[in-house]
Amino acid sequence: MPDRALDLDDELRSRTALLGSASDAATRVFTTILTRSPISRIDVAKLTGLSQAAVTKAVAPLVAVGLLNDSLGPTLTGLPGRPVSPVALVPDAVVTLGVKVNDDELIGVATDLTTRVIASERLPLASRAPAEVIDAIAELCARLAERLGDLGPRLAAVGVAVSGDVDSETGVVRDSAIMGWRNVELGPVLAERLGRRVVVENDVRALTIGEHWFGVGLGTRSFAIVTIGRGIGSGLHLNGEVVEGAYGVAGEIGHLPLTSPDKVCACGRRGCVEAVASTSAIAAAVSAAHGRPVTIGEAVELRRAGDAAAVEVFDEAGRVIGAAIASLVNLVGPELVVIGGEGVADFDLIEEPLRRSYAEHVFASADRCRIAVRPHTFEDWARGAAATAVRSLVV
Amino acid sequence: MPDRALDLDDELRSRTALLGSASDAATRVFTTILTRSPISRIDVAKLTGLSQAAVTKAVAPLVAVGLLNDSLGPTLTGLPGRPVSPVALVPDAVVTLGVKVNDDELIGVATDLTTRVIASERLPLASRAPAEVIDAIAELCARLAERLGDLGPRLAAVGVAVSGDVDSETGVVRDSAIMGWRNVELGPVLAERLGRRVVVENDVRALTIGEHWFGVGLGTRSFAIVTIGRGIGSGLHLNGEVVEGAYGVAGEIGHLPLTSPDKVCACGRRGCVEAVASTSAIAAAVSAAHGRPVTIGEAVELRRAGDAAAVEVFDEAGRVIGAAIASLVNLVGPELVVIGGEGVADFDLIEEPLRRSYAEHVFASADRCRIAVRPHTFEDWARGAAATAVRSLVV
């Protein structure tokens, strides 16, 4: 893709132009159908609060450019009256790529408009230097584009998810501790290289956007994702949108000062949640107790074997994460909290102290918030990145 | 008012009916003019993203019922081209009442649509029993209605602000520690008594709504209000709306577990911010240090006189509030935090440790969030309640 940029064909151009210039009402109609296809015009009207005439008016041009299909034929609704013709999304009318950047590896997916995975690729990173990572992302995108076959000309946008402080409006990664990056102009450079629209987003927020549109968040009015593992992060979805933070920072649940000030975090601050609950903090604490280097894998084994020091370290991690989730719930009162991230593979080791501490600190009827645990694979994170690309086309 | 319910005259009915049935676009047009009157149709179009034709279409019926005035005559804009005729709100086309419920007193205001105060009244409370407080609110509203004079028939809605867990959809106060209330059906009972629409809202959220529409929040994309004093609370305004909490609880910054578990909060939980930073916690800690009962007023005097124990207690309160504000900022990344509440009268006593602790814990570029201090009078809180009444008419 980098060296032989495909001309966007007229078909794709007409689709993205229509979506990009859509009125508010048309955008709401399309996103409603995007997430609930197939669906009747009547139900779209109900969900959007628009008149049926307004829905019909919005649907017509979307059908004309091939984004929607209204020739599925009538279906019976089970209700009295005439049968209705549902409107359906044409999922592969536009395709996108999503890339999750880890410190040692890129995970990429090509997806349709519903973030269904069409192709998936991984690429190890030899270096975290921005220029080399950008080369690798371009290489990964080229491989994914190859695998799109006939759908290649429909590739409209690329989403990239990176841990840290990301300015999604400019595509600049301002600060990523895991990558060791400061003010890396990832979006603009990649857009130039790929000849496509590129969206860069904080990785947890990308996952949150994906879950809102196509996952556990669909149909909830507000939810949060809390990810545990190497870092402890969160994404918030409130009042109809992901919380971006006025200055690019939001959801930094791993840096709430909920533990003792004598615990120093990798970020340099004192008392952060991550200072006792990140995988590296857990490994370091078990190492200190045993007076020798212990990996996180070995720390998990020690905990499973009932080693007293490891039990204490994992209990403390669970307690502090539980207090952090209670803090989040007390502040923003979501309907649902989803706990995810690679750390949930060993969630059973911290679940009991986590839930006890959460119950001790959650306030009044906020305790009705549901807590769900969901393991996210790295491919799920890449799908989140693709969801940000889809979102960039329609809102 | 309770015993001689005025017939809503046709004029008022036509105005509230139009606002209540307005399309999304018309609502956005009206709220834009409400908060920025007088304003040209061109600027309304720019701010709402609507076409000028859509703005003109929305404005016409609002002028017809007397909510807007478009006969101010042309004004020069300083730009080339023809002069424009601005559209202006008719502020007293509709009036509302706002009542702030304290444990010992009611503060009420009658306001126009911009929450400009037309009349103000206070009423001491002899009891916190729900039935007696409801009687007192009805009495206060009757006095305010008397003072409306010719505007009386334009009274459309009453907003009531109460501390605690309030379900604003049903008007039920589920849990108010300060009032000692559980599941009090304040809204439905008052609506019946007053013959008017009644909105009940958590007091800090009401203040936040007022500040969003007519105060410091106007023009910011996201902000938070943190109130200090008898309680420590917060209101969040994110993605265009106040954060209500899925189950009525949000903004409970006073119950983040940021201090030692040996500090027991009035709510019964351990380690809450309020357990060391509420005025009663400060008074209790100074009392304990001196071995005799000390009021908050005397504690302030001791601190001003340099009493070592009082210095330590106020420093700790400042540190914990600073950590709490950093937690809020790290989680939701607002553009602006306004510190208010009756406790800001003595803000100088905690400011230095508060700002130091905030700076220690705020994460990355979230530190660009502005922190402003603004004393709110109880009348400001009542205006917040009135703002919720105005809001109920238009969204």
Side-chain angles (χ1 to χ4, degrees), chain B residues 310-333:
Chain B
V311 169
E312 198 178 305
V313 168
F314 278 89
D315 278 5
E316 176 66 2
R319 270 196 300 275
V320 171
I321 296 173
I325 297 175
S327 298
L328 181 155
V329 169
N330 290 354
L331 271 181
V332 303

Short mmCIF file of all heavy atoms in Angstrom, two decimals, chain B residues 310-333:
data_model
loop_
_atom_site.label_atom_id
_atom_site.label_comp_id
_atom_site.label_asym_id
_atom_site.label_seq_id
_atom_site.Cartn_x
_atom_site.Cartn_y
_atom_site.Cartn_z
N ALA B 310 -4.22 22.62 65.07
CA ALA B 310 -5.15 23.08 64.04
C ALA B 310 -4.46 23.16 62.67
O ALA B 310 -5.05 22.81 61.65
CB ALA B 310 -5.74 24.44 64.42
N VAL B 311 -3.21 23.61 62.68
CA VAL B 311 -2.45 23.66 61.41
C VAL B 311 -2.39 22.27 60.78
O VAL B 311 -2.66 22.09 59.59
CB VAL B 311 -1.02 24.21 61.65
CG1 VAL B 311 -0.15 24.01 60.40
CG2 VAL B 311 -1.07 25.69 62.01
N GLU B 312 -2.09 21.28 61.63
CA GLU B 312 -1.96 19.91 61.11
C GLU B 312 -3.30 19.41 60.54
O GLU B 312 -3.33 18.80 59.47
CB GLU B 312 -1.49 19.00 62.25
CG GLU B 312 -0.92 17.69 61.79
CD GLU B 312 -0.43 16.87 62.98
OE1 GLU B 312 0.40 17.38 63.77
OE2 GLU B 312 -0.90 15.73 63.13
N VAL B 313 -4.38 19.71 61.25
CA VAL B 313 -5.70 19.23 60.81
C VAL B 313 -6.10 19.88 59.48
O VAL B 313 -6.56 19.21 58.55
CB VAL B 313 -6.75 19.51 61.91
CG1 VAL B 313 -8.16 19.31 61.36
CG2 VAL B 313 -6.50 18.61 63.12
N PHE B 314 -5.90 21.18 59.38
CA PHE B 314 -6.27 21.87 58.12
C PHE B 314 -5.35 21.44 56.98
O PHE B 314 -5.80 21.30 55.84
CB PHE B 314 -6.24 23.40 58.31
CG PHE B 314 -7.50 23.95 58.94
CD1 PHE B 314 -7.62 24.06 60.32
CD2 PHE B 314 -8.57 24.34 58.15
CE1 PHE B 314 -8.78 24.56 60.89
CE2 PHE B 314 -9.74 24.85 58.72
CZ PHE B 314 -9.85 24.95 60.10
N ASP B 315 -4.06 21.24 57.28
CA ASP B 315 -3.14 20.76 56.24
C ASP B 315 -3.59 19.42 55.68
O ASP B 315 -3.59 19.18 54.47
CB ASP B 315 -1.71 20.64 56.79
CG ASP B 315 -0.99 21.99 56.80
OD1 ASP B 315 -1.64 23.01 56.48
OD2 ASP B 315 0.20 22.02 57.14
N GLU B 316 -3.97 18.53 56.61
CA GLU B 316 -4.42 17.21 56.18
C GLU B 316 -5.68 17.32 55.32
O GLU B 316 -5.80 16.65 54.28
CB GLU B 316 -4.67 16.32 57.41
CG GLU B 316 -5.23 14.94 57.12
CD GLU B 316 -4.27 14.02 56.36
OE1 GLU B 316 -3.13 14.44 56.09
OE2 GLU B 316 -4.69 12.90 56.02
N ALA B 317 -6.61 18.17 55.73
CA ALA B 317 -7.83 18.39 54.92
C ALA B 317 -7.46 18.88 53.52
O ALA B 317 -7.97 18.37 52.51
CB ALA B 317 -8.76 19.39 55.61
N GLY B 318 -6.55 19.85 53.44
CA GLY B 318 -6.12 20.38 52.14
C GLY B 318 -5.46 19.31 51.29
O GLY B 318 -5.75 19.19 50.09
N ARG B 319 -4.57 18.52 51.91
CA ARG B 319 -3.89 17.46 51.17
C ARG B 319 -4.88 16.47 50.57
O ARG B 319 -4.77 16.08 49.40
CB ARG B 319 -2.92 16.70 52.09
CG ARG B 319 -1.53 17.25 52.15
CD ARG B 319 -0.56 16.24 52.76
NE ARG B 319 -0.89 15.85 54.12
CZ ARG B 319 -0.53 16.51 55.22
NH1 ARG B 319 0.19 17.62 55.12
NH2 ARG B 319 -0.88 16.08 56.41
N VAL B 320 -5.84 16.06 51.38
CA VAL B 320 -6.78 15.03 50.92
C VAL B 320 -7.72 15.59 49.84
O VAL B 320 -8.02 14.92 48.85
CB VAL B 320 -7.54 14.42 52.11
CG1 VAL B 320 -8.67 13.51 51.63
CG2 VAL B 320 -6.58 13.65 52.99
N ILE B 321 -8.15 16.84 50.01
CA ILE B 321 -8.99 17.44 48.96
C ILE B 321 -8.18 17.60 47.66
O ILE B 321 -8.69 17.35 46.57
CB ILE B 321 -9.58 18.80 49.42
CG1 ILE B 321 -10.53 18.59 50.61
CG2 ILE B 321 -10.33 19.48 48.27
CD1 ILE B 321 -11.03 19.89 51.23
N GLY B 322 -6.91 17.98 47.79
CA GLY B 322 -6.06 18.09 46.59
C GLY B 322 -5.92 16.75 45.88
O GLY B 322 -5.99 16.68 44.65
N ALA B 323 -5.72 15.68 46.65
CA ALA B 323 -5.62 14.35 46.05
C ALA B 323 -6.94 13.95 45.40
O ALA B 323 -6.97 13.30 44.34
CB ALA B 323 -5.22 13.32 47.12
N ALA B 324 -8.06 14.37 46.01
CA ALA B 324 -9.38 14.04 45.46
C ALA B 324 -9.60 14.76 44.13
O ALA B 324 -10.11 14.18 43.16
CB ALA B 324 -10.47 14.41 46.46
N ILE B 325 -9.20 16.03 44.08
CA ILE B 325 -9.38 16.78 42.82
C ILE B 325 -8.46 16.20 41.73
O ILE B 325 -8.87 16.06 40.58
CB ILE B 325 -9.14 18.29 43.04
CG1 ILE B 325 -10.19 18.83 44.02
CG2 ILE B 325 -9.20 19.04 41.72
CD1 ILE B 325 -9.98 20.29 44.41
N ALA B 326 -7.24 15.82 42.11
CA ALA B 326 -6.34 15.17 41.14
C ALA B 326 -6.98 13.87 40.64
O ALA B 326 -6.90 13.55 39.44
CB ALA B 326 -4.98 14.90 41.77
N SER B 327 -7.61 13.11 41.52
CA SER B 327 -8.27 11.86 41.12
C SER B 327 -9.37 12.14 40.10
O SER B 327 -9.48 11.47 39.07
CB SER B 327 -8.87 11.15 42.33
OG SER B 327 -7.86 10.80 43.25
N LEU B 328 -10.18 13.14 40.40
CA LEU B 328 -11.27 13.52 39.49
C LEU B 328 -10.69 13.92 38.13
O LEU B 328 -11.17 13.48 37.08
CB LEU B 328 -12.06 14.67 40.11
CG LEU B 328 -13.26 15.24 39.37
CD1 LEU B 328 -14.22 15.88 40.37
CD2 LEU B 328 -12.90 16.24 38.31
N VAL B 329 -9.65 14.74 38.14
CA VAL B 329 -9.05 15.23 36.89
C VAL B 329 -8.41 14.07 36.12
O VAL B 329 -8.55 13.97 34.90
CB VAL B 329 -8.05 16.37 37.18
CG1 VAL B 329 -7.23 16.72 35.95
CG2 VAL B 329 -8.80 17.61 37.69
N ASN B 330 -7.71 13.17 36.82
CA ASN B 330 -7.09 12.03 36.14
C ASN B 330 -8.15 11.13 35.49
O ASN B 330 -7.91 10.54 34.45
CB ASN B 330 -6.26 11.21 37.13
CG ASN B 330 -5.01 11.93 37.58
OD1 ASN B 330 -4.68 13.01 37.08
ND2 ASN B 330 -4.31 11.37 38.55
N LEU B 331 -9.31 11.04 36.12
CA LEU B 331 -10.35 10.15 35.58
C LEU B 331 -11.13 10.79 34.44
O LEU B 331 -11.41 10.12 33.44
CB LEU B 331 -11.32 9.72 36.68
CG LEU B 331 -10.95 8.47 37.44
CD1 LEU B 331 -12.03 8.15 38.48
CD2 LEU B 331 -10.77 7.27 36.51
N VAL B 332 -11.53 12.05 34.56
CA VAL B 332 -12.42 12.59 33.53
C VAL B 332 -11.82 13.75 32.74
O VAL B 332 -12.41 14.20 31.76
CB VAL B 332 -13.81 13.00 34.10
CG1 VAL B 332 -14.46 11.81 34.77
CG2 VAL B 332 -13.71 14.18 35.04
N GLY B 333 -10.64 14.25 33.14
CA GLY B 333 -9.93 15.24 32.33
C GLY B 333 -10.72 16.48 31.96
O GLY B 333 -10.77 16.83 30.78
#
